Amino acid sequence: MSDLEALSQLSDPVRRSLYAFVAASGGEVGRGEAAEAAGVSRTLAAHHLDKLVEAGLLEAAFRPQERKGPGSGRPAKVYRRAGVELSVSLPPRDYGSLASVLAEVVDLLGGEEQAEEAARGLGRRLAAARGGAADVAEVLRERGYEPYTEEGEVRQRNCPFHALAEEQPLLVCSMNLALCQGLLEGLGQDPGRARLDPRPGECCVALSKTNEN
């Protein structure tokens, strides 16, 4: 199935709602909780969830029952967002290859500090585009970071630069941090709130509580 065909599965509102719920969970979701979130029956949710698995947008697994032995029932089927990256461009474009080449050039020339300053400037411009007054999580959400709050901190489920970060992790993560610091500065907030705190499967940048430096 092509990327376009896979993404077309989200044209159905129920399917789109189920995918959004699973993606936002950051982990595994059972059929019952997905059905409740989407406001549909468990049977209908199971049908759409399995279609999303067929399209490669979700992955399925089985969660063993806590109770063991006879009468414990079958393992529960659970879903999580697939690790694949899908994109559609008409006509086809390949910005990723150019970004990879440019990142390699920065590395070869030792231009890490200049790259970080450029990223910091981009963050300031993103803030200026919002008039310098916006919720930082809202701006990050618009840029694809998928922020969520955990114990008062803002963490981010998605790295918008994931493919490039796999190739040049030190460069890309340092630029990502600088971008977030520039964004905070442009919004009149303490840029020191942004720090590197990588977690598997998430963005490497986290934002501390607003009342902490």
Side-chain angles (χ1 to χ4, degrees):
M1 183 179 293
S2 69
D3 285 5
L4 180 58
E5 291 172 324
L7 292 174
S8 70
Q9 299 296 314
L10 298 177
S11 62
D12 182 284
V14 174
R15 207 165 289 179
R16 187 165 61 250
S17 176
L18 288 166
Y19 175 80
F21 177 72
V22 174
S25 73
E28 296 181 338
V29 171
R31 288 173 168 176
E33 53 188 318
E36 183 178 355
V40 298
S41 69
R42 191 176 184 279
T43 301
L44 182 60
H47 167 75
H48 285 300
L49 288 166
D50 287 337
K51 286 295 183 181
L52 290 171
V53 172
E54 291 178 16
L57 297 172
L58 297 180
E59 296 175 350
F62 289 92
R63 181 189 298 159
Q65 298 285 1
E66 293 183 5
R67 180 183 172 188
K68 306 295 183 181
S72 60
R74 295 185 300 173
K77 195 169 187 178
V78 292
Y79 302 83
R80 59 178 175 270
R81 179 162 59 179
V84 298
E85 184 174 318
L86 304 179
S87 64
V88 175
S89 176
L90 298 174
R93 304 295 189 207
D94 188 9
Y95 302 113
S97 293
L98 179 59
S100 178
V101 170
L102 292 174
E104 187 173 350
V105 170
V106 170
D107 184 50
L108 290 173
L109 296 179
E112 289 83 0
E113 291 186 9
Q114 293 88 339
E116 289 174 19
E117 185 53 41
R120 194 171 289 108
L122 173 58
R124 296 191 194 102
R125 292 195 297 275
L126 292 175
R130 301 294 297 270
D135 177 64
V136 64
E138 180 182 347
V139 180
L140 291 171
R141 185 173 295 107
E142 291 173 354
R143 307 303 299 183
Y145 283 86
E146 298 184 5
Y148 67 99
T149 302
E150 181 182 278
E151 297 180 355
E153 294 188 331
V154 177
R155 306 198 67 95
Q156 302 168 112
R157 298 196 193 283
N158 182 53
C159 172
F161 319 112
H162 173 73
L164 201 56
E166 291 284 295
E167 297 180 14
Q168 298 276 0
L170 295 179
L171 173 64
V172 175
C173 288
S174 65
M175 291 178 65
N176 194 11
L177 174 62
L179 188 156
C180 292
Q181 290 173 335
L183 174 61
L184 286 166
E185 183 180 351
L187 294 175
Q189 300 182 32
D190 178 15
R193 288 182 57 203
R195 71 185 193 284
L196 288 177
D197 188 18
R199 285 183 178 178
E202 293 192 5
C203 175
C204 60
V205 178
L207 277 60
S208 64
K209 300 177 183 178
T210 55
N211 61 345
E212 294 181 358
N213 293 326

PDB file of all heavy atoms in Angstrom, residues 83-113:
ATOM      1  N   GLY A  83       5.788   2.826  13.884  1.00  0.00           N
ATOM      2  CA  GLY A  83       7.018   3.600  13.865  1.00  0.00           C
ATOM      3  C   GLY A  83       7.408   4.111  12.491  1.00  0.00           C
ATOM      4  O   GLY A  83       8.399   4.833  12.365  1.00  0.00           O
ATOM      5  N   VAL A  84       6.642   3.754  11.467  1.00  0.00           N
ATOM      6  CA  VAL A  84       6.984   4.189  10.113  1.00  0.00           C
ATOM      7  C   VAL A  84       6.661   5.672   9.936  1.00  0.00           C
ATOM      8  O   VAL A  84       5.840   6.241  10.653  1.00  0.00           O
ATOM      9  CB  VAL A  84       6.230   3.370   9.055  1.00  0.00           C
ATOM     10  CG1 VAL A  84       6.601   1.910   9.140  1.00  0.00           C
ATOM     11  CG2 VAL A  84       4.719   3.540   9.213  1.00  0.00           C
ATOM     12  N   GLU A  85       7.342   6.282   8.973  1.00  0.00           N
ATOM     13  CA  GLU A  85       7.108   7.685   8.653  1.00  0.00           C
ATOM     14  C   GLU A  85       6.514   7.762   7.256  1.00  0.00           C
ATOM     15  O   GLU A  85       7.101   7.279   6.291  1.00  0.00           O
ATOM     16  CB  GLU A  85       8.428   8.459   8.715  1.00  0.00           C
ATOM     17  CG  GLU A  85       8.286   9.951   8.496  1.00  0.00           C
ATOM     18  CD  GLU A  85       9.606  10.676   8.720  1.00  0.00           C
ATOM     19  OE1 GLU A  85      10.304  10.336   9.697  1.00  0.00           O
ATOM     20  OE2 GLU A  85       9.937  11.551   7.908  1.00  0.00           O
ATOM     21  N   LEU A  86       5.333   8.370   7.141  1.00  0.00           N
ATOM     22  CA  LEU A  86       4.640   8.477   5.857  1.00  0.00           C
ATOM     23  C   LEU A  86       4.551   9.936   5.448  1.00  0.00           C
ATOM     24  O   LEU A  86       4.348  10.820   6.286  1.00  0.00           O
ATOM     25  CB  LEU A  86       3.231   7.886   5.945  1.00  0.00           C
ATOM     26  CG  LEU A  86       3.111   6.434   6.423  1.00  0.00           C
ATOM     27  CD1 LEU A  86       1.657   6.022   6.485  1.00  0.00           C
ATOM     28  CD2 LEU A  86       3.880   5.497   5.506  1.00  0.00           C
ATOM     29  N   SER A  87       4.688  10.196   4.165  1.00  0.00           N
ATOM     30  CA  SER A  87       4.528  11.557   3.667  1.00  0.00           C
ATOM     31  C   SER A  87       4.032  11.505   2.232  1.00  0.00           C
ATOM     32  O   SER A  87       4.311  10.551   1.496  1.00  0.00           O
ATOM     33  CB  SER A  87       5.840  12.338   3.739  1.00  0.00           C
ATOM     34  OG  SER A  87       6.812  11.757   2.901  1.00  0.00           O
ATOM     35  N   VAL A  88       3.320  12.541   1.851  1.00  0.00           N
ATOM     36  CA  VAL A  88       2.784  12.625   0.501  1.00  0.00           C
ATOM     37  C   VAL A  88       3.083  14.010  -0.051  1.00  0.00           C
ATOM     38  O   VAL A  88       2.844  15.016   0.619  1.00  0.00           O
ATOM     39  CB  VAL A  88       1.263  12.376   0.480  1.00  0.00           C
ATOM     40  CG1 VAL A  88       0.712  12.593  -0.919  1.00  0.00           C
ATOM     41  CG2 VAL A  88       0.949  10.972   0.959  1.00  0.00           C
ATOM     42  N   SER A  89       3.629  14.076  -1.243  1.00  0.00           N
ATOM     43  CA  SER A  89       3.900  15.343  -1.905  1.00  0.00           C
ATOM     44  C   SER A  89       3.540  15.197  -3.373  1.00  0.00           C
ATOM     45  O   SER A  89       3.975  14.263  -4.038  1.00  0.00           O
ATOM     46  CB  SER A  89       5.378  15.721  -1.764  1.00  0.00           C
ATOM     47  OG  SER A  89       5.664  16.909  -2.484  1.00  0.00           O
ATOM     48  N   LEU A  90       2.717  16.121  -3.862  1.00  0.00           N
ATOM     49  CA  LEU A  90       2.312  16.105  -5.268  1.00  0.00           C
ATOM     50  C   LEU A  90       2.658  17.457  -5.886  1.00  0.00           C
ATOM     51  O   LEU A  90       2.099  18.471  -5.472  1.00  0.00           O
ATOM     52  CB  LEU A  90       0.818  15.836  -5.393  1.00  0.00           C
ATOM     53  CG  LEU A  90       0.327  14.484  -4.850  1.00  0.00           C
ATOM     54  CD1 LEU A  90      -1.187  14.414  -4.909  1.00  0.00           C
ATOM     55  CD2 LEU A  90       0.952  13.346  -5.638  1.00  0.00           C
ATOM     56  N   PRO A  91       3.575  17.492  -6.867  1.00  0.00           N
ATOM     57  CA  PRO A  91       4.398  16.379  -7.368  1.00  0.00           C
ATOM     58  C   PRO A  91       5.426  15.955  -6.324  1.00  0.00           C
ATOM     59  O   PRO A  91       5.652  16.681  -5.358  1.00  0.00           O
ATOM     60  CB  PRO A  91       5.078  16.978  -8.601  1.00  0.00           C
ATOM     61  CG  PRO A  91       5.160  18.437  -8.298  1.00  0.00           C
ATOM     62  CD  PRO A  91       3.913  18.764  -7.541  1.00  0.00           C
ATOM     63  N   PRO A  92       6.065  14.801  -6.491  1.00  0.00           N
ATOM     64  CA  PRO A  92       7.017  14.308  -5.494  1.00  0.00           C
ATOM     65  C   PRO A  92       8.165  15.290  -5.248  1.00  0.00           C
ATOM     66  O   PRO A  92       8.700  15.893  -6.171  1.00  0.00           O
ATOM     67  CB  PRO A  92       7.537  13.006  -6.133  1.00  0.00           C
ATOM     68  CG  PRO A  92       6.460  12.592  -7.076  1.00  0.00           C
ATOM     69  CD  PRO A  92       5.887  13.861  -7.618  1.00  0.00           C
ATOM     70  N   ARG A  93       8.517  15.474  -3.979  1.00  0.00           N
ATOM     71  CA  ARG A  93       9.657  16.294  -3.574  1.00  0.00           C
ATOM     72  C   ARG A  93      10.547  15.454  -2.650  1.00  0.00           C
ATOM     73  O   ARG A  93      10.092  14.484  -2.052  1.00  0.00           O
ATOM     74  CB  ARG A  93       9.206  17.548  -2.822  1.00  0.00           C
ATOM     75  CG  ARG A  93       8.219  18.427  -3.583  1.00  0.00           C
ATOM     76  CD  ARG A  93       8.813  19.031  -4.827  1.00  0.00           C
ATOM     77  NE  ARG A  93       7.919  20.026  -5.416  1.00  0.00           N
ATOM     78  CZ  ARG A  93       7.897  20.325  -6.709  1.00  0.00           C
ATOM     79  NH1 ARG A  93       8.711  19.693  -7.539  1.00  0.00           N
ATOM     80  NH2 ARG A  93       7.075  21.247  -7.153  1.00  0.00           N
ATOM     81  N   ASP A  94      11.796  15.855  -2.523  1.00  0.00           N
ATOM     82  CA  ASP A  94      12.725  15.103  -1.679  1.00  0.00           C
ATOM     83  C   ASP A  94      13.558  16.069  -0.845  1.00  0.00           C
ATOM     84  O   ASP A  94      14.774  16.174  -1.009  1.00  0.00           O
ATOM     85  CB  ASP A  94      13.634  14.217  -2.543  1.00  0.00           C
ATOM     86  CG  ASP A  94      14.481  13.269  -1.704  1.00  0.00           C
ATOM     87  OD1 ASP A  94      14.229  13.180  -0.490  1.00  0.00           O
ATOM     88  OD2 ASP A  94      15.392  12.633  -2.269  1.00  0.00           O
ATOM     89  N   TYR A  95      12.889  16.770   0.061  1.00  0.00           N
ATOM     90  CA  TYR A  95      13.588  17.720   0.921  1.00  0.00           C
ATOM     91  C   TYR A  95      14.480  16.995   1.928  1.00  0.00           C
ATOM     92  O   TYR A  95      15.476  17.542   2.391  1.00  0.00           O
ATOM     93  CB  TYR A  95      12.576  18.596   1.665  1.00  0.00           C
ATOM     94  CG  TYR A  95      11.655  19.359   0.735  1.00  0.00           C
ATOM     95  CD1 TYR A  95      10.291  19.072   0.693  1.00  0.00           C
ATOM     96  CD2 TYR A  95      12.150  20.354  -0.103  1.00  0.00           C
ATOM     97  CE1 TYR A  95       9.443  19.765  -0.161  1.00  0.00           C
ATOM     98  CE2 TYR A  95      11.307  21.048  -0.954  1.00  0.00           C
ATOM     99  CZ  TYR A  95       9.951  20.754  -0.986  1.00  0.00           C
ATOM    100  OH  TYR A  95       9.117  21.432  -1.833  1.00  0.00           O
ATOM    101  N   GLY A  96      14.123  15.764   2.275  1.00  0.00           N
ATOM    102  CA  GLY A  96      14.882  15.015   3.260  1.00  0.00           C
ATOM    103  C   GLY A  96      16.326  14.770   2.819  1.00  0.00           C
ATOM    104  O   GLY A  96      17.259  14.889   3.613  1.00  0.00           O
ATOM    105  N   SER A  97      16.513  14.427   1.540  1.00  0.00           N
ATOM    106  CA  SER A  97      17.866  14.166   1.046  1.00  0.00           C
ATOM    107  C   SER A  97      18.707  15.435   1.096  1.00  0.00           C
ATOM    108  O   SER A  97      19.886  15.406   1.467  1.00  0.00           O
ATOM    109  CB  SER A  97      17.813  13.625  -0.382  1.00  0.00           C
ATOM    110  OG  SER A  97      17.225  12.339  -0.402  1.00  0.00           O
ATOM    111  N   LEU A  98      18.112  16.564   0.718  1.00  0.00           N
ATOM    112  CA  LEU A  98      18.850  17.826   0.762  1.00  0.00           C
ATOM    113  C   LEU A  98      19.200  18.190   2.199  1.00  0.00           C
ATOM    114  O   LEU A  98      20.324  18.632   2.483  1.00  0.00           O
ATOM    115  CB  LEU A  98      18.022  18.944   0.135  1.00  0.00           C
ATOM    116  CG  LEU A  98      18.663  20.336   0.141  1.00  0.00           C
ATOM    117  CD1 LEU A  98      19.987  20.317  -0.607  1.00  0.00           C
ATOM    118  CD2 LEU A  98      17.723  21.370  -0.476  1.00  0.00           C
ATOM    119  N   ALA A  99      18.262  17.998   3.130  1.00  0.00           N
ATOM    120  CA  ALA A  99      18.537  18.282   4.542  1.00  0.00           C
ATOM    121  C   ALA A  99      19.671  17.409   5.048  1.00  0.00           C
ATOM    122  O   ALA A  99      20.527  17.870   5.811  1.00  0.00           O
ATOM    123  CB  ALA A  99      17.280  18.049   5.373  1.00  0.00           C
ATOM    124  N   SER A 100      19.714  16.155   4.610  1.00  0.00           N
ATOM    125  CA  SER A 100      20.775  15.246   5.019  1.00  0.00           C
ATOM    126  C   SER A 100      22.130  15.726   4.512  1.00  0.00           C
ATOM    127  O   SER A 100      23.131  15.712   5.233  1.00  0.00           O
ATOM    128  CB  SER A 100      20.492  13.836   4.490  1.00  0.00           C
ATOM    129  OG  SER A 100      21.528  12.944   4.831  1.00  0.00           O
ATOM    130  N   VAL A 101      22.171  16.188   3.257  1.00  0.00           N
ATOM    131  CA  VAL A 101      23.416  16.705   2.684  1.00  0.00           C
ATOM    132  C   VAL A 101      23.872  17.954   3.440  1.00  0.00           C
ATOM    133  O   VAL A 101      25.059  18.098   3.780  1.00  0.00           O
ATOM    134  CB  VAL A 101      23.232  17.018   1.188  1.00  0.00           C
ATOM    135  CG1 VAL A 101      24.440  17.775   0.647  1.00  0.00           C
ATOM    136  CG2 VAL A 101      23.028  15.736   0.395  1.00  0.00           C
ATOM    137  N   LEU A 102      22.940  18.870   3.718  1.00  0.00           N
ATOM    138  CA  LEU A 102      23.295  20.098   4.413  1.00  0.00           C
ATOM    139  C   LEU A 102      23.798  19.811   5.831  1.00  0.00           C
ATOM    140  O   LEU A 102      24.738  20.454   6.310  1.00  0.00           O
ATOM    141  CB  LEU A 102      22.088  21.034   4.460  1.00  0.00           C
ATOM    142  CG  LEU A 102      21.644  21.606   3.107  1.00  0.00           C
ATOM    143  CD1 LEU A 102      20.350  22.402   3.254  1.00  0.00           C
ATOM    144  CD2 LEU A 102      22.739  22.470   2.500  1.00  0.00           C
ATOM    145  N   ALA A 103      23.177  18.856   6.501  1.00  0.00           N
ATOM    146  CA  ALA A 103      23.640  18.490   7.842  1.00  0.00           C
ATOM    147  C   ALA A 103      25.047  17.923   7.790  1.00  0.00           C
ATOM    148  O   ALA A 103      25.879  18.206   8.666  1.00  0.00           O
ATOM    149  CB  ALA A 103      22.684  17.469   8.463  1.00  0.00           C
ATOM    150  N   GLU A 104      25.348  17.151   6.750  1.00  0.00           N
ATOM    151  CA  GLU A 104      26.689  16.589   6.607  1.00  0.00           C
ATOM    152  C   GLU A 104      27.712  17.688   6.332  1.00  0.00           C
ATOM    153  O   GLU A 104      28.835  17.652   6.848  1.00  0.00           O
ATOM    154  CB  GLU A 104      26.704  15.563   5.479  1.00  0.00           C
ATOM    155  CG  GLU A 104      28.017  14.809   5.363  1.00  0.00           C
ATOM    156  CD  GLU A 104      27.955  13.680   4.341  1.00  0.00           C
ATOM    157  OE1 GLU A 104      26.846  13.377   3.866  1.00  0.00           O
ATOM    158  OE2 GLU A 104      29.016  13.116   4.031  1.00  0.00           O
ATOM    159  N   VAL A 105      27.316  18.693   5.547  1.00  0.00           N
ATOM    160  CA  VAL A 105      28.209  19.818   5.261  1.00  0.00           C
ATOM    161  C   VAL A 105      28.527  20.588   6.540  1.00  0.00           C
ATOM    162  O   VAL A 105      29.674  20.960   6.794  1.00  0.00           O
ATOM    163  CB  VAL A 105      27.579  20.756   4.210  1.00  0.00           C
ATOM    164  CG1 VAL A 105      28.376  22.049   4.093  1.00  0.00           C
ATOM    165  CG2 VAL A 105      27.513  20.067   2.855  1.00  0.00           C
ATOM    166  N   VAL A 106      27.487  20.835   7.362  1.00  0.00           N
ATOM    167  CA  VAL A 106      27.702  21.529   8.636  1.00  0.00           C
ATOM    168  C   VAL A 106      28.692  20.759   9.491  1.00  0.00           C
ATOM    169  O   VAL A 106      29.606  21.336  10.101  1.00  0.00           O
ATOM    170  CB  VAL A 106      26.368  21.702   9.390  1.00  0.00           C
ATOM    171  CG1 VAL A 106      26.604  22.198  10.814  1.00  0.00           C
ATOM    172  CG2 VAL A 106      25.461  22.679   8.646  1.00  0.00           C
ATOM    173  N   ASP A 107      28.544  19.452   9.521  1.00  0.00           N
ATOM    174  CA  ASP A 107      29.439  18.609  10.317  1.00  0.00           C
ATOM    175  C   ASP A 107      30.867  18.656   9.776  1.00  0.00           C
ATOM    176  O   ASP A 107      31.833  18.794  10.531  1.00  0.00           O
ATOM    177  CB  ASP A 107      28.907  17.176  10.320  1.00  0.00           C
ATOM    178  CG  ASP A 107      29.733  16.245  11.203  1.00  0.00           C
ATOM    179  OD1 ASP A 107      29.987  16.600  12.369  1.00  0.00           O
ATOM    180  OD2 ASP A 107      30.123  15.171  10.727  1.00  0.00           O
ATOM    181  N   LEU A 108      31.018  18.593   8.461  1.00  0.00           N
ATOM    182  CA  LEU A 108      32.348  18.601   7.848  1.00  0.00           C
ATOM    183  C   LEU A 108      33.061  19.937   8.047  1.00  0.00           C
ATOM    184  O   LEU A 108      34.281  19.982   8.224  1.00  0.00           O
ATOM    185  CB  LEU A 108      32.228  18.292   6.354  1.00  0.00           C
ATOM    186  CG  LEU A 108      31.831  16.850   5.980  1.00  0.00           C
ATOM    187  CD1 LEU A 108      31.573  16.736   4.489  1.00  0.00           C
ATOM    188  CD2 LEU A 108      32.924  15.872   6.403  1.00  0.00           C
ATOM    189  N   LEU A 109      32.296  21.016   8.029  1.00  0.00           N
ATOM    190  CA  LEU A 109      32.876  22.348   8.169  1.00  0.00           C
ATOM    191  C   LEU A 109      33.000  22.792   9.624  1.00  0.00           C
ATOM    192  O   LEU A 109      33.537  23.867   9.892  1.00  0.00           O
ATOM    193  CB  LEU A 109      32.027  23.371   7.395  1.00  0.00           C
ATOM    194  CG  LEU A 109      31.972  23.189   5.875  1.00  0.00           C
ATOM    195  CD1 LEU A 109      31.085  24.257   5.258  1.00  0.00           C
ATOM    196  CD2 LEU A 109      33.371  23.244   5.273  1.00  0.00           C
ATOM    197  N   GLY A 110      32.504  21.976  10.544  1.00  0.00           N
ATOM    198  CA  GLY A 110      32.558  22.363  11.947  1.00  0.00           C
ATOM    199  C   GLY A 110      31.687  23.566  12.252  1.00  0.00           C
ATOM    200  O   GLY A 110      32.057  24.426  13.071  1.00  0.00           O
ATOM    201  N   GLY A 111      30.544  23.644  11.603  1.00  0.00           N
ATOM    202  CA  GLY A 111      29.682  24.812  11.768  1.00  0.00           C
ATOM    203  C   GLY A 111      28.549  24.621  12.759  1.00  0.00           C
ATOM    204  O   GLY A 111      27.480  25.208  12.596  1.00  0.00           O
ATOM    205  N   GLU A 112      28.779  23.803  13.789  1.00  0.00           N
ATOM    206  CA  GLU A 112      27.702  23.496  14.734  1.00  0.00           C
ATOM    207  C   GLU A 112      27.184  24.750  15.448  1.00  0.00           C
ATOM    208  O   GLU A 112      25.966  24.926  15.611  1.00  0.00           O
ATOM    209  CB  GLU A 112      28.184  22.477  15.780  1.00  0.00           C
ATOM    210  CG  GLU A 112      28.401  21.074  15.244  1.00  0.00           C
ATOM    211  CD  GLU A 112      29.763  20.895  14.583  1.00  0.00           C
ATOM    212  OE1 GLU A 112      30.534  21.896  14.553  1.00  0.00           O
ATOM    213  OE2 GLU A 112      30.056  19.786  14.109  1.00  0.00           O
ATOM    214  N   GLU A 113      28.095  25.636  15.882  1.00  0.00           N
ATOM    215  CA  GLU A 113      27.658  26.825  16.606  1.00  0.00           C
ATOM    216  C   GLU A 113      26.826  27.731  15.709  1.00  0.00           C
ATOM    217  O   GLU A 113      25.807  28.288  16.144  1.00  0.00           O
ATOM    218  CB  GLU A 113      28.868  27.592  17.143  1.00  0.00           C
ATOM    219  CG  GLU A 113      29.597  26.870  18.265  1.00  0.00           C
ATOM    220  CD  GLU A 113      30.707  27.715  18.864  1.00  0.00           C
ATOM    221  OE1 GLU A 113      30.786  28.924  18.515  1.00  0.00           O
ATOM    222  OE2 GLU A 113      31.495  27.184  19.673  1.00  0.00           O
TER     223      GLU A 113
END
